[in-house]
Each structure stands twice: as C-alpha cells, then as structure tokens.
Amino acid sequence: MLLFIWSVISLSLLLPGTTEEYTPPTILTTLTHADIEHLPSSTYSTSFTYAPTSTPLPDNVILDETEDDEEDDSEVDQEGETEEGEEDIDDLSKKAKKKAMKDKKKKEKKEKKERKKKDKGEKENGTKKEKKKSKKKGKKNKGKGKKDANLCKAGSFSTKKGCEQCAENTFSGNEDSACTPCPNGLVSAVGSTSEDDCSYDQYPTCNCWTAECGYCSSIDCTVKQDLFNSNNGIEVHSTPGRRRKELDTVILYNEEGEQLGQFQWNVKGIYLSGCVRCQTPPALKEARINGGLEEPWTFSLAGGVVQIRMGGEVMYTNPLKGECFDRYVKVNRFAFYKMTCGNSFSFIPNEMVAGEQVSSNCPVACLLNQSLS
C-alpha cells in the first residue's frame, strides 16, 4: 500500500510542462495507525476516514466528517419529506372527504327527486283508482236503487209483473225477495209477514158423543198421537168453564181404540180418571180466565208426567207412578167430549193422523149440537 502511494506522488512530480505547484488529490482511504506514522507530513495533504483503534490519531490527521454530515442531512431531508408527505396525505384526505360529501349530497338529492317523482306517480294512480272505484260504486248504487225500487213489502214477493202476496203456509218480511215456507208443518194465511204468523192448522173440537161416532167408541172419530213420546202434546183453544160441571174433556185411547180414561179440567179443578183429582193452582186459574179463548192451553203426558202449559210456561205438573203410569203410558189416541163447536185444537201433521170421520163428521156434529141446544 505504501509503495503504491509513493509511486503516485513521484509520478506527479516528474510530469513535464507543469509549472504550477501540484496539489495532491484527496484520496479517501482507510489507514491504520501504523500506516500513518510512516508517512512524511510534508509530502501529502489528504483526508482520512479513521478506522478507530485503541491508539489515538496524530494531531496532523484531519478526519473527514462529510459522510456523517450527509447522513444528518439525509435524515433531515427524510424528516422534511415525511412532514411534506404527511401534509400531502392530509390534503388528499381532505379532498377525498370533500368529494365524498359532495357525492353523498348529490346522491341524496337524486334519491329525493326520484322519491318525489314516485310519490307523485302513486298519488296520481291512487286518484285514478279512487275515481274508477267511485265510478264503479256509483254504477253499483245506481243498480241498487233500481233493485230497491223493485223490493216488496212484508207478506209479498217480487215477480216480473210486480209484487204478489205470499201463498198459504208461507211468509216474507220487508224487502225479502221470496216467501219462506212455515217450518214443521205449520200453516199460515195468505200474505203472512213473519214466522210468528205460522201456526198449526186448527181443527174443531167436535163432540164424539154422537151416533155417527158410536158415542165416542169409533176409532174413526179419534186422532192418533203418541202422547207418551210427544213434547208438543194437545194444544187447545177453548172458552174457560166457570162452573164446576163446565169441563174441557179429552178422552184417551190406546192404539186399538179402547178407552183408558179421561182428562178433564177447568178453573176449579184438574182430573185424570183413577189417578188425579186436585184443585187448579191459583196461577193457572188466573191465566186461564185472563187468557180466554185466545190463549191456548196444552195438555201433555210426555214421559208419564201430566202437565198443563199456558203461554209456553208449565203451570201444572204431576208425575204418574205405579199403575197410573202403566195405564196411561199406553195412550196413543184422543177425542173430545162435550166441547162446543167454537173451540179448536192444533193439528200437527208430523205427529197426528186424523180418523176418517174427524174432518167430515165434525161440521155435522156441530150443526146437530146447535140444533139440539
């Protein structure tokens, strides 16, 4: 290494045409402490990068601090660049936020405009639908007005020719388009206006004590009905008898037409042949007198229990026992004895079968009774 340095120095001194004093170049190299001690101080001017050793450098050696300065400058520059970079990022961030806000407002404005347009369209459609619906409703009401004009009053029904009265055994209410048949075999007059007008057909309570009826012995003058299993019983319209001997009398028969006994009653007492003999309860007596001919009374033997009902209310009851029960449980027919022709009973078609002489003989018997009286 020393030989190389000396060669360079000597060569520079021997170059021809050089009048100016030669300034040796600055050579950056790394020398040890031992190398520096062997170099004469008058023959070089150089800067060394000192590689630290355990021995201190001589006073005539100048250390080059350029690299350290450059590193410091580099660090400063890097710090500056970092600060500038942060400023640039902040600027970009602000711009991005500003743009994002702008885009958001633009989007909201667009959505608001579209929503407004949609609402307007729905409103227009709704108005159109309402108009259409109103128009339809108007037509419907118009038709309904015509229909209402064709509706008939209670007791009648509508036809092509106009309103006609309901036939027998039917009824109709206000604005009914047709007449309704009476239920359970009930009957009604022409032009009946409600189900309350429906009732059972009324047969006269003809007196069976005639020669034609064999003085209440002919089965043809009886009405067949299974009283033991009937909840309806025998419903009768009759004038209440105030005297002891003025009794409403029903003769009871078995299936073969043999007499089992008689049921009799008035405001004084109630009697069933061989089994019942008692006074009429006050409530029943009062109801019978006040009801008169218009208010029917009903005699029932359902389940072997003697009952008298008025106005749908049970006014008298007496359960049969022992021989009485066994006797009257067989009741399957009935007829009326010494009842006036102005009285009647309700004929129930689905429970009753009238004997051959009941309908034909009753008017004759009534006429005979009136002529005899």
Side-chain angles (χ1 to χ4, degrees), residues 244 247-248 262-282 284-285 299 306-308 315-320:
R244 188 174 294 278
L247 297 166
D248 291 326
Q262 297 179 5
F263 171 75
Q264 298 176 301
W265 86 289
N266 61 12
V267 295
K268 300 289 185 180
I270 300 170
Y271 312 97
L272 181 64
S273 302
C275 295
V276 177
R277 186 180 183 89
C278 62
Q279 290 184 344
T280 302
L284 177 57
K285 180 179 179 179
F299 164 68
V306 178
Q307 280 189 353
I308 299 176
M315 309 291 289
Y316 172 81
T317 182
N318 191 342
L320 299 176

Side-chain angles (χ1 to χ4, degrees), residues 109-156:
K109 191 175 180 181
K110 188 178 179 181
E111 287 177 353
K112 188 176 180 181
K113 191 175 180 181
E114 287 177 356
R115 190 164 55 250
K116 192 175 180 181
K117 190 176 179 181
K118 187 179 178 181
D119 293 341
K120 188 178 179 182
E122 286 178 356
K123 190 176 180 181
E124 288 177 357
N125 290 334
T127 306
K128 287 179 182 178
K129 283 181 181 178
E130 284 177 7
K131 284 181 180 178
K132 195 174 180 181
K133 192 175 180 181
S134 179
K135 195 174 180 182
K136 252 186 183 180
K137 192 175 181 182
K139 287 181 180 179
K140 190 176 179 181
N141 290 336
K142 191 176 179 182
K144 189 178 178 183
K146 290 181 180 178
K147 188 177 178 182
D148 290 343
N150 293 329
L151 291 174
C152 299
K153 294 180 180 180
S156 59

Side-chain angles (χ1 to χ4, degrees), residues 196-329:
D196 294 337
D197 295 335
C198 296
S199 61
Y200 292 112
D201 198 6
Q202 298 297 303
Y203 278 39
T205 57
C206 293
N207 184 11
C208 66
W209 193 255
T210 62
E212 291 80 5
C213 289
Y215 300 99
C216 299
S217 63
S218 174
I219 198 171
D220 293 335
C221 292
T222 64
V223 178
K224 185 179 179 180
Q225 183 186 22
D226 183 6
L227 282 172
F228 185 81
N229 294 307
S230 172
N231 291 321
N232 291 311
I234 305 169
E235 184 183 71
V236 181
H237 288 264
S238 66
T239 303
R242 293 178 180 271
R243 296 178 183 178
R244 188 174 294 278
K245 293 184 178 180
E246 293 176 350
L247 297 166
D248 291 326
T249 304
V250 181
I251 299 178
L252 305 173
Y253 304 83
N254 62 14
E255 177 67 25
E256 290 74 26
E258 298 174 351
Q259 287 192 30
L260 299 174
Q262 297 179 5
F263 171 75
Q264 298 176 301
W265 86 289
N266 61 12
V267 295
K268 300 289 185 180
I270 300 170
Y271 312 97
L272 181 64
S273 302
C275 295
V276 177
R277 186 180 183 89
C278 62
Q279 290 184 344
T280 302
L284 177 57
K285 180 179 179 179
E286 185 179 354
R288 183 75 175 101
I289 293 171
N290 294 335
L293 181 64
E294 298 300 322
E295 185 69 33
W297 55 269
T298 300
F299 164 68
S300 171
L301 266 177
V305 179
V306 178
Q307 280 189 353
I308 299 176
R309 299 191 299 266
M310 289 193 72
E313 184 181 351
V314 177
M315 309 291 289
Y316 172 81
T317 182
N318 191 342
L320 299 176
K321 298 176 182 179
E323 292 181 2
C324 289
F325 179 88
D326 295 338
R327 179 178 176 180
Y328 287 101
V329 76

